Amino acid sequence: MWWRVNAPLPDDPRLHSAVAVYVTDIYGVDPVLAVHGNSMTDRSHHSATTETSMWFHRRVFADRWNLMESRSPVAASGRGIVIAALYGDDGQRTATIVQEGQAVKREPD
């Protein structure tokens, strides 16, 4: 997933890192849903991150394009693990992410 912030941001590395944590947390569970043939866009499940670890290797620039490459090596019984890498617009790996997520099928309205 490619992402960036459209609003101007101050040149504060902590703020850019915090934005990266927020964005990757929101969209990180999607590979868990994909294992079962679903996606966050189909709105078929309630999902949440239950655990996250993120290691920063280089400075993240949230107002430039970033690529989050992620996969779920295991997902079962409504839970799954996501392993992701974050790359800057220069192709350098900026962070590594490991998340545990939960996905529960929504009840029909």
Side-chain angles (χ1 to χ4, degrees):
M1 174 188 86
W2 285 97
W3 66 271
R4 70 180 168 104
V5 173
N6 290 329
L9 294 176
D11 189 28
D12 179 352
R14 294 171 299 172
L15 176 62
H16 287 257
S17 294
V19 169
V21 170
Y22 179 76
V23 170
T24 59
D25 183 65
I26 288 176
Y27 295 101
V29 178
D30 202 40
V32 171
L33 295 171
V35 168
H36 300 292
N38 298 295
S39 169
M40 288 179 65
T41 59
D42 66 22
R43 313 285 297 163
S44 61
H45 290 72
H46 294 285
S47 59
T49 301
T50 54
E51 293 285 338
T52 300
S53 293
M54 190 166 183
W55 296 270
F56 290 95
H57 312 301
R58 293 177 178 78
R59 182 165 177 200
V60 174
F61 294 92
D63 52 359
R64 298 181 192 170
W65 285 108
N66 293 275
L67 173 65
M68 183 173 75
E69 182 179 70
S70 57
R71 63 185 175 86
S72 178
V74 63
S77 301
R79 296 170 65 139
I81 299 293
V82 175
I83 299 170
L86 190 62
Y87 297 92
D89 62 353
D90 60 358
Q92 295 286 315
R93 189 173 190 151
T94 56
T96 300
I97 306 140
V98 177
Q99 291 181 330
E100 179 187 50
Q102 179 178 5
V104 178
K105 188 154 184 74
R106 291 180 188 254
E107 294 295 323
D109 292 334

